[in-house]
Amino acid sequence: MTEGRAVFPIEPWSLTEVGLDHASLAVHESVFALANGHIGMRGSFEEGEPVVVPGTYLNGFFEERPLPYAEAGYGFPEMGQTVVNVTDGKLIRLLVKDSPLDLDYGEIIDHRRTLDLRAGVLRRSTEWRSPGGRCVRVTSTRLVSLARRSIAAIEYQVEVTDDLGDLYVALQSDLLANEDGAAADSDDPRAAAALASPLQCELAAARGRRAVLVHRTKRSRLRLAAGMDHVIEIPDSCTEDVEAVGDLARYSLAARIPPRGSLKLVKFLAYGWSSRRSGAALRDQVEAALATAKLAGFDRLLQEQRELLAQHWDDADVEIEGDDELQQAVRVGMFHVLQAGLRGERQAIPAKGLTGPGYDGHTFWDTETYVLPVLTYTAPSAARDALRWRHSTLPLARERAQELGLRGAAFPWRTIRGEETSGYWPAGTAAFHINADIADAVARYVHATLDDDFDRDFGAELLVETARLWASLGHFDAEHGFRIDGVTGPDEYTAVVDNNVYTNLMAQRNLREAAAAVDRQPEVAGRLEVTGGEVEEWLRAASLMAVPYDTQRGVHMQSDGFTHHEEWDFQNTPQSHYPLLLNYPYFELYRKQVVKQADLVMALHLRGDAFTLEEKIADFAYYEARTTRDSSLSASQQAVVAAETGHLELAHQYWAEAALTDLQNLHSNSGHGLHIASLAGGWTVAVAGFGGLRDHGGELTFAPRLPSRITRLRFRVVYRGRKLTVTVEPGQATYRLVDGDPLEIRHHGRQVVVDHADMVLVIPPAPQVEPVRQPPGCAPRRRSRI
């Protein structure tokens, strides 16, 4: 097999790499990552080489580091948090006679890896000729269990494929802490901060084929345990050994394999961490998990994985006819979204999931605004867990609000544990909209599930405390109503502004939802000492919320005065200077009409009930011409609004950009980890864009339309204990309940009741609109396949 660019065949239910492409190695390590929300393992090779970022991660496990400032300021966070590459259990090194299997040496006869989306495993097959001329085929199946939160497993088989006599091989199955390997391209501020040997060994134990290592971080004082156990199948006699000391535990196996014979090793792995439990307790926990996994056996783990995913796809699948590449990409994205959040269990969902060290492993507003809508309608228990994590950080958010002189709770812009760790105020703390984004996710979950227990125990309190923040952050002005000044909206190229429309409208919803929560949960309101006067103030602020509008241009201003800023000179901006934030000072960006990512356009989607269709059409056209999409968060939101405003073909192009962001490495940083929010956008564009799903005020509505190339779109949503299937075809949409009582929805404004029979409804024509333009060089991106 010749070296060069790997090939990804288009397959509906898998992603296969054929050949080895060294230039794309880091990206493929991200794309082939396996996770369950608790454990994450990048798709590096078992043999350890070649590798760029070998990472293994535990959700919420981090190290602290001081945040340096040239000039200190009041309220600046003092400590940063960085995800730790924990003990690597993927390693199974193979020695073929006297040559280590390393794909940089010898000859690759055949190589392929497959991410199986229905089985939930990474399969690998490599046939290799050693420098000494011996040929072996190595196959492996890797699994991070979605059913057993702490368990991963690898089946590793070595087969002799030549007839040159018996072959002596040795396997070294390792647990390795403080592993070498940092994020590539350290000049990129989005890459992870490097940490040198953050783990200190507290315990190392080995017996039989089992070993456990316990380590603790130096500053954050978090403790983790990693354990491994093995089952082997060998053709003849073998020798075995096991040892554990310091940062390394190793199980060694040497065996003789006859021609055309093979040996098999199954490696079971267990992980756990705690800020409170002792090393001995964590060791016992991990050993117990290993024992039950080994008792169940590898085949049982595979069966559990397949059964869980079968149910998930039955609830959540998106079927696309007319664009096979997009079909594959959307399913890959949905799989990674599920992996990011399913078993987080009151931990955050980081922006990169558990697929890499990018953004230092931090959680942002991406979770509530992009990821939780997907999980709310496909895997609501995972959305509940993520919101419970936010609730668990309320004490820290209250402290932060007090530090800033505000009431209620000020949630952090970026964090792992709940403290604010953003060292750049204009694009950090000033982005107060994250508080309304959290409230929006809470309200959506409550409306979509009618989960009264959650509402009583967690949701209402989150809504109340975020509403209190807005009431104290904003103020009433006789001329302009209720103003919220000095904030940054989603567009980080326009920072610290007055009356950002997205922020104000999301805060408006927050205030109204908090008032409704007080009515629903009077006991919670009493515990939080909410007064009638306070609720009246919330509702008055909501009714008088400032929403800047430029009457001369006939469009909403992204924030006060935005449409009066000088235009950015796009014609003289070289393509090599994107993203702009890496090539121009923020001062230049802040005072021009240039938009990093959908901001006001996001308001057209998430607060679409605050705009007329005519306003949406005019606003979308105006901001489309000024948006660079230097953020991966932009394409999916632009796609949703493009579809609603009649630009169906453009919406299709943006859909592809969002879904293919990592498979085509469109932002040149997928090697640091996947863009989980953008991958979630594959579902969002299908369901909210071309399906037209909206959930304003707890009412489920649809307004489906298709672009010309898509001949059929089918998706499923879980809503209030029911499963609804929506099938969109040119000119008509079909609604049907799979289970549950009849459901009232709206179709293009028409109220209907859906039951178990097909309801076929006509789709009205799309609005007739003029084509819109993007800045030069900023058209939707989708690379042609070779």
Side-chain angles (χ1 to χ4, degrees):
M1 172 176 287
T2 58
E3 280 289 322
R5 188 181 181 90
V7 177
F8 283 96
I10 295 177
E11 303 161 320
W13 283 104
S14 60
L15 182 71
T16 298
E17 167 195 71
V18 180
L20 183 65
D21 180 5
H22 281 78
S24 300
L25 198 58
V27 174
H28 295 179
E29 289 169 356
S30 299
V31 168
F32 287 121
L34 293 178
N36 63 7
H38 174 58
I39 307 168
M41 292 183 168
R42 283 175 61 83
S44 51
F45 295 111
E46 285 86 2
E47 298 80 22
E49 299 289 345
V51 66
V52 180
V53 183
T56 301
Y57 310 103
L58 296 180
N59 196 350
F61 193 87
F62 67 94
E63 180 60 302
E64 292 180 335
R65 55 186 173 84
L67 287 176
Y69 297 100
E71 295 184 18
Y74 179 81
F76 284 14
E78 296 180 358
M79 298 296 292
Q81 298 168 353
T82 297
V83 66
V84 172
N85 176 24
V86 301
T87 310
D88 190 354
K90 301 186 300 292
L91 294 169
I92 304 174
R93 303 186 190 278
L94 171 63
L95 191 75
V96 178
K97 196 174 180 180
D98 55 359
S99 300
L101 193 154
D102 183 337
L103 300 187
D104 281 336
Y105 302 97
E107 177 188 354
I108 300 173
I109 300 170
D110 182 71
H111 170 75
R112 63 189 62 226
R113 287 189 290 178
T114 298
L115 182 66
D116 188 323
L117 305 178
R118 287 187 288 198
V121 298
L122 176 63
R123 295 192 179 93
R124 171 267 188 106
S125 175
T126 302
E127 188 168 4
W128 180 76
R129 180 178 287 110
S130 74
R134 298 306 304 265
C135 295
V136 295
R137 179 181 293 111
V138 173
T139 57
S140 67
T141 301
R142 185 184 303 176
L143 170 148
V144 173
S145 177
L146 297 169
R148 302 174 186 237
R149 185 171 184 258
S150 61
I151 294 297
I154 303 170
E155 183 183 74
Y156 189 91
Q157 182 165 324
V158 182
E159 177 186 359
V160 178
T161 58
D162 61 34
D163 295 306
L164 301 178
D166 293 345
L167 179 62
Y168 288 86
V169 301
L171 291 177
Q172 296 172 329
S173 176
D174 291 353
L175 293 174
L176 178 62
N178 291 317
E179 186 173 33
D180 290 337
D185 190 11
S186 59
D187 291 336
D188 188 335
R190 295 165 293 187
L195 294 177
S197 300
L199 299 174
Q200 296 177 321
C201 183
E202 290 191 333
L203 185 152
R207 184 182 66 226
R209 294 172 180 166
R210 178 180 298 179
V212 177
L213 296 180
V214 178
H215 283 78
R216 194 170 188 177
T217 54
K218 298 174 184 176
R219 295 191 182 96
S220 61
R221 308 304 290 167
L222 302 180
R223 183 178 282 115
L224 80 98
M228 64 178 179
D229 205 345
H230 303 83
V231 173
I232 62 171
E233 295 179 15
I234 56 174
D236 203 339
S237 61
C238 69
T239 62
E240 300 176 78
D241 188 30
V242 66
E243 59 181 331
V245 58
D247 290 343
L248 176 67
R250 170 169 292 169
Y251 166 71
S252 300
L253 170 70
R256 178 176 60 86
I257 308 177
R260 306 296 171 176
S262 65
L263 70 79
K264 181 190 294 184
L265 177 144
V266 176
K267 182 176 188 176
F268 298 94
L269 294 162
Y271 287 90
W273 74 267
S274 176
S275 60
R276 300 181 181 90
R277 303 186 70 194
S278 68
L282 276 179
R283 177 199 61 199
D284 293 346
Q285 172 188 327
V286 161
E287 288 190 339
L290 279 174
T292 58
K294 186 176 179 180
L295 177 64
F298 191 72
D299 289 343
R300 176 64 185 173
L301 297 183
L302 290 176
Q303 180 183 345
E304 291 172 351
Q305 193 88 332
R306 185 174 283 276
E307 289 173 352
L308 187 150
L309 283 168
Q311 181 61 56
H312 173 70
W313 290 118
D314 190 53
D315 291 342
D317 189 27
V318 172
E319 301 173 49
I320 304 164
E321 293 183 7
D323 191 333
D324 293 341
E325 183 181 42
L326 190 53
Q327 171 71 89
Q328 180 188 46
V330 168
R331 282 185 175 140
V332 168
M334 292 178 66
F335 178 75
H336 278 296
V337 169
L338 182 72
Q339 288 198 128
L342 184 64
R343 300 306 303 271
E345 298 181 13
R346 284 169 281 171
Q347 290 294 335
I349 299 176
K352 295 287 190 179
L354 298 174
T355 66
Y359 298 114
D360 285 330
H362 289 167
T363 294
F364 300 78
W365 66 304
D366 307 22
T367 297
E368 282 78 14
T369 302
Y370 289 81
V371 179
L372 292 198
V374 181
L375 295 177
T376 294
Y377 294 113
T378 62
S381 63
R384 188 182 200 271
D385 281 343
L387 290 171
R388 286 190 64 185
W389 171 77
R390 280 292 188 190
H391 182 271
S392 74
T393 68
L394 251 178
L396 293 170
R398 288 189 179 107
E399 289 178 15
R400 181 64 171 161
Q402 279 190 322
E403 183 181 20
L404 299 174
L406 300 169
R407 295 190 67 213
F411 284 95
W413 176 244
R414 61 185 300 165
T415 190
I416 294 178
R417 185 169 58 189
E419 299 91 344
E420 178 62 80
T421 63
S422 174
Y424 186 60
W425 184 281
T429 296
F432 282 101
H433 68 82
I434 188 171
N435 299 279
D437 300 326
I438 292 167
D440 182 59
V442 168
R444 178 181 294 106
Y445 174 81
V446 170
H447 291 315
T449 63
L450 301 181
D451 185 344
D452 186 66
D453 290 344
F454 170 85
D455 190 32
R456 180 191 64 243
D457 297 337
F458 312 104
E461 188 172 14
L462 283 167
L463 291 170
V464 166
E465 295 293 32
T466 46
R468 283 172 164 165
L469 175 84
W470 298 117
S472 63
L473 183 64
H475 70 280
F476 291 98
D477 176 76
E479 184 177 355
H480 298 106
F482 189 78
R483 300 176 57 90
I484 302 175
D485 297 335
V487 300
T488 299
D491 172 27
E492 295 167 10
Y493 286 174
T494 311
V496 193
V497 297
D498 297 340
N499 293 319
N500 172 259
V501 169
Y502 175 86
T503 302
N504 284 19
L505 287 178
M506 294 298 284
Q508 181 187 64
R509 171 174 287 173
N510 191 167
L511 292 162
R512 288 172 174 165
E513 289 288 355
V518 168
D519 284 342
R520 289 193 308 269
Q521 305 292 347
E523 292 184 3
V524 176
R527 175 170 59 82
L528 298 175
E529 300 179 351
V530 180
T531 67
E534 189 175 15
V535 174
E536 288 179 10
E537 182 186 24
W538 296 346
L539 294 176
R540 179 168 172 255
S543 66
L544 295 176
M545 188 66 68
V547 181
Y549 187 79
D550 185 331
T551 56
Q552 181 180 356
R553 295 170 178 80
V555 297
H556 287 87
M557 290 186 272
Q558 183 171 287
S559 55
D560 278 354
F562 178 84
T563 54
H564 301 295
H565 290 178
E566 184 180 358
E567 297 278 2
W568 184 268
D569 185 2
F570 287 107
Q571 294 292 343
N572 292 310
T573 302
Q575 280 296 293
S576 61
H577 283 199
Y578 291 98
L580 301 181
L581 79 161
L582 298 183
N583 295 281
Y584 297 94
Y586 273 113
F587 170 74
E588 278 297 298
L589 299 171
Y590 287 167
R591 63 197 187 98
K592 300 289 181 64
Q593 287 193 59
V594 57
V595 180
K596 178 183 179 184
Q597 64 198 59
D599 185 308
L600 189 134
V601 169
M602 281 195 66
L604 302 180
H605 171 204
L606 297 179
R607 283 304 319 275
D609 54 334
F611 302 87
T612 66
L613 178 60
E614 292 72 23
E615 288 172 336
K616 292 177 184 178
I617 290 171
D619 286 347
F620 179 74
Y622 188 85
Y623 287 95
E624 184 73 1
R626 292 158 177 82
T627 302
T628 65
R629 291 193 327 289
D630 283 347
S631 167
S632 64
L633 298 177
S634 196
S636 62
Q637 297 295 334
Q638 287 174 271
V640 169
V641 179
E644 183 178 3
T645 55
H647 303 283
L648 294 169
E649 308 311 316
L650 177 62
H652 185 185
Q653 295 167 18
Y654 279 142
W655 189 14
E657 179 176 322
L660 290 163
T661 285
D662 292 308
L663 293 183
Q664 296 188 351
N665 195 21
L666 296 179
H667 287 262
S668 301
N669 63 351
S670 295
H672 303 148
L674 302 179
H675 299 79
I676 299 299
S678 187
L679 296 180
W683 180 94
T684 301
V685 180
V687 176
F690 296 112
L693 182 149
R694 299 292 186 274
D695 49 9
H696 304 308
E699 182 182 35
L700 197 62
T701 68
F702 297 89
R705 289 191 179 96
L706 292 180
S708 59
R709 183 174 168 184
I710 304 301
T711 57
R712 182 173 174 270
L713 171 68
R714 172 178 286 177
F715 59 86
R716 302 157 176 84
V717 293
V718 177
Y719 187 75
R720 297 184 178 178
R722 306 163 174 92
K723 183 163 61 182
L724 174 68
T725 298
V726 181
T727 305
V728 188
E729 297 168 296
Q732 69 178 36
T734 303
Y735 301 90
R736 181 172 62 87
L737 276 181
V738 177
D739 51 37
D741 296 331
L743 178 65
E744 186 177 289
I745 65 168
R746 288 187 181 272
H747 167 84
H748 283 283
R750 174 185 170 188
Q751 187 171 322
V752 297
V753 177
V754 181
D755 57 23
H756 299 283
D758 286 350
M759 175 172 286
V760 182
L761 300 174
V762 174
I763 296 175
Q768 296 299 304
V769 291
E770 295 294 323
V772 294
R773 61 184 177 87
Q774 297 80 38
C778 295
R781 289 169 283 184
R782 180 178 185 172
R783 293 175 182 163
S784 300
R785 295 178 62 88
I786 295 176

